[in-house]
Amino acid sequence: MEREITRREAIGVLAGAALAVPFAGLLASCGPAPYVSPYDWTALRREGERLVYAPDGQVESSWGIDVSSHQFSINWQEVAAAGVQFAIIRIGNRGATEGLLYEDEFFMENATGAQAAGIPLGAYFFSQALDEAEVLEEAEFALRLLAKAEQEGAQFKAVAYDHEPVSVEGARANDLEGELLSQLTVTFCQQLELAGYQPLLYGNQRDLGKLDPVVRQAYPLWLAEYETDAPTAQFDFRIWQYSRSGQLPGIPADVDLNILLPEVE
């Protein structure tokens, strides 16, 4: 059996990678307009582990985590008491070398535990699809597991598609061209939409930057970027995964921390 890939291994292979910023020199007027974020990043403030977006002193964000089997068994009542306002849990993944599909060992436990603690839920699937047939298989697999969890009382609104390179020998999907990756992304998201879920796209600047801009603008984005006071991505996003080393009561391992930003027109 192939070794399961950790989120840190996947992120680490492209750590520090960023999109090139368009040159704003003497001929800037002839090129694209400089990107301007819809958010005022001076309105971010930190409260311990929590990150808050509060323009004019009014909190307009929610604080959350994303988890998988790498966090082991979680005490969701303690997590709720710590102030977590949403959780995105891993449904499963495709193996990076053999290409087999796996349900996350703690998916059902996390889904039912977070729901019982009153924490709103989202989910994500870690894809390593190579073609249309594989991504359709992944979508069917994810939908089947979501339905299983919902039969046990869990409720999901948003589901993220996470396709990224991994730093293991023999990884089969590390070098997909942007056009193919965009096609796979749309296929997965369309299947989720047909089932009534809101698709999200997860990745760092390099991952999301490979997508066709039309695809990137069609779905809400979930950006991974760490060790910075404010995001530097040159595109809009709704969720910022700002830490991969959070420490929270009820979770026996480091956990990813996220802020959900207000929707803007």
Side-chain angles (χ1 to χ4, degrees):
M1 180 182 294
E2 61 188 322
R3 183 171 64 85
E4 185 177 3
I5 306 305
T6 70
R7 170 62 59 81
R8 283 163 185 77
E9 287 174 325
I11 293 294
V13 72
L14 290 176
L19 292 179
V21 178
F23 177 68
L26 296 176
L27 299 180
S29 60
C30 298
Y35 171 78
V36 178
S37 173
Y39 301 108
D40 174 11
W41 298 126
T42 66
L44 287 173
R45 69 170 187 253
R46 293 185 180 267
E47 301 175 350
E49 296 276 15
R50 183 195 306 260
L51 191 61
V52 174
Y53 181 70
D56 300 320
Q58 300 297 314
V59 175
E60 298 183 5
S61 61
S62 298
W63 182 55
I65 59 176
D66 62 274
V67 300
S68 69
S69 59
H70 304 303
Q71 279 69 49
F72 307 103
S73 186
I74 295 172
N75 185 322
W76 285 101
Q77 296 296 331
E78 289 189 20
V79 171
V84 169
Q85 296 169 298
F86 68 90
I88 304 174
I89 64 176
R90 188 174 71 169
I91 303 166
N93 69 290
R94 184 183 292 278
T97 57
E98 296 178 7
L100 302 179
L101 294 178
Y102 299 94
E103 177 181 353
D104 186 283
E105 179 184 357
F106 288 87
F107 170 65
M108 286 296 296
E109 180 179 322
N110 285 333
T112 56
Q115 188 71 48
I119 299 175
L121 279 172
Y124 75 94
F125 185 83
F126 189 95
S127 171
Q128 292 287 283
L130 292 177
D131 53 35
E132 191 84 355
E134 287 194 347
V135 80
L136 284 170
E137 182 184 31
E138 291 176 352
E140 180 183 357
F141 183 78
L143 288 169
R144 186 166 64 250
L145 291 174
L146 288 167
K148 178 181 174 183
E150 288 170 345
Q151 289 175 354
E152 299 298 322
Q155 298 179 18
F156 300 90
K157 291 184 179 180
V159 179
Y161 183 64
D162 175 6
H163 195 306
E164 55 189 286
V166 296
S167 56
V168 295
E169 185 177 354
R172 61 204 291 272
N174 275 3
D175 301 315
L176 299 189
E177 296 294 333
E179 181 178 358
L180 175 56
L181 183 58
S182 297
Q183 292 170 356
L184 299 178
T185 298
V186 169
T187 296
F188 187 93
C189 290
Q190 287 178 338
Q191 297 304 305
L192 270 292
E193 284 181 308
L194 288 172
Y197 299 101
Q198 169 64 64
L200 303 174
L201 307 183
Y202 173 87
N204 61 20
Q205 293 191 52
R206 176 70 177 273
D207 303 327
L208 296 174
K210 287 184 68 175
L211 298 174
D212 187 291
V214 173
V215 175
R216 205 165 53 236
Q217 294 164 15
Y219 303 103
L221 304 182
W222 176 14
L223 173 71
E225 185 177 10
Y226 317 121
E227 299 179 1
T228 181
D229 292 333
T232 64
Q234 301 292 295
F235 43 75
D236 296 350
F237 54 89
R238 285 295 309 284
I239 303 177
W240 177 25
Q241 185 187 76
Y242 62 90
S243 175
R244 53 182 172 176
S245 56
Q247 296 285 319
L248 290 181
I251 303 180
D254 288 352
V255 63
D256 298 330
L257 304 178
N258 300 268
I259 181 172
L260 172 63
L261 296 158
E263 188 171 6
V264 294
E265 296 183 0

